[in-house]
Amino acid sequence: ILIFNIIKGPITWLIMFMFIKIIYTLAPDRKMPSKNVNTGAVFTTFAWAIITEIYSFYINNYAAYDVFYGSLANIVILMMWFFILAYIFTIGMALNYKEEKIKLEKTGQINIVN
C-alpha cells in the first residue's frame, strides 16, 4: 500500500500527459507530429494538476456556494472548474502553435505573419 501511494501521483500525471498529448496530436485539422506537441502537453498536465489542487483547496476551505445557489452549487462549482481547465487547454495549444511557428520560420519553410 505504501508503494502504491508513492507511485500513484506520477502514474496519474503520466496517464494525463499521454491523453493530453493524444488530444493535441489528433485534434488539429492537419497532421501534427507527436514530438511537436510535448511543450503544450507538459504545460497542460502540470497546470491541470496545480489548478485542480488550488481549486479544491479553495472550494473546501473558503467557498460557500451553497448559501448563494442552494442545490445548484455543485453544478456551478463543476462548471467553473471546466471553465478554468478550458483556458489551460487553450494556452497549451497556443504554446504548441508558437513552437511550431518558430521551427517553421527557422527552417525557412514558411513565413507566418501575425
Side-chain angles (χ1 to χ4, degrees), residues 104-105 108-113:
L104 290 175
E105 287 181 347
Q109 293 177 351
I110 191 168
N111 186 9
I112 301 174
V113 179

Side-chain angles (χ1 to χ4, degrees), residues 31-108:
K31 192 170 187 173
M32 291 284 294
S34 180
K35 65 180 179 177
N36 290 353
V37 298
N38 284 336
T39 305
V42 167
F43 170 79
T44 304
T45 302
F46 285 117
W48 182 320
I50 291 168
I51 293 297
T52 300
E53 288 298 319
I54 292 170
Y55 195 68
S56 67
F57 178 78
Y58 172 74
I59 294 300
N60 290 331
N61 296 316
Y62 295 109
Y65 290 108
D66 57 342
V67 173
F68 297 114
Y69 299 109
S71 61
L72 294 176
N74 293 332
I75 295 171
V76 172
I77 292 169
L78 183 66
M79 295 304 289
M80 286 176 55
W81 184 64
F82 285 156
F83 184 73
I84 293 169
L85 290 182
Y87 270 113
I88 290 172
F89 266 93
T90 305
I91 292 170
M93 286 186 267
L95 287 173
N96 289 336
Y97 170 76
K98 189 70 170 175
E99 185 176 330
E100 182 182 14
K101 177 183 167 185
I102 290 169
K103 284 181 183 177
L104 290 175
E105 287 181 347
K106 278 184 182 178
T107 60

